[in-house]
Amino acid sequence: QVQLVESGGGLVEAGGSLRVSCAASRSFSGTNTMGWYRQAPGKQRELVAVFTSGGAILYGSSVKGRFTISRDNAKNTVYLQMNSLKPEDTAVYYCYMKWTPNGYWGQGTQVTVSS
């Protein structure tokens, strides 16, 4: 089994920045699917940013140019740097990682952006 531990969520002012982290108990051997999703109250869950198994990086249209996904293979950790935050970015952020055929979710971390 794989454990994913998130950290870095919290309250930030509009226009500010925040970085969330997700550390995995399993090594990033090979190329794995991993990334971030979010869900706000009354809205569907949406993709934020993801490393695909083919090595590409995908961003949701609402965060392009503001968010950056990165990872540290030695630390088995994926990061999401969030800049120029807007109130509409307020949501629970979840990390997801897949070692085929199994996928794993983090516990979620609340990000709140004040107006």
Side-chain angles (χ1 to χ4, degrees):
Q1 195 79 334
V2 176
Q3 303 292 324
L4 305 180
V5 180
E6 297 184 12
S7 61
L11 177 66
V12 64
E13 294 183 349
S17 298
L18 201 64
R19 187 176 78 160
V20 291
S21 305
C22 183
S25 63
R26 182 171 176 174
S27 174
F28 289 176
S29 58
T31 302
N32 299 300
T33 299
M34 60 186 71
W36 295 89
Y37 298 77
R38 69 185 184 187
Q39 186 167 22
K43 299 178 64 177
Q44 294 184 336
R45 184 259 282 161
E46 65 176 335
L47 183 147
V48 177
V50 64
F51 289 103
T52 73
S53 60
I57 300 176
L58 274 56
Y59 290 99
S61 60
S62 63
V63 307
K64 289 179 181 177
R66 300 188 297 119
F67 291 11
T68 303
I69 188 172
S70 63
R71 69 189 189 191
D72 186 328
N73 292 341
K75 296 181 179 179
N76 301 324
T77 301
V78 63
Y79 305 93
L80 183 69
Q81 178 67 46
M82 300 178 284
N83 298 326
S84 302
L85 282 161
K86 305 174 181 179
E88 51 262 46
D89 294 318
T90 296
V92 177
Y93 285 70
Y94 300 92
C95 68
Y96 175 83
M97 300 186 187
K98 185 176 182 180
W99 290 260
T100 301
N102 301 310
Y104 304 88
W105 290 95
Q107 79 281 7
T109 185
Q110 177 71 47
V111 172
T112 302
V113 184
S114 62
S115 302

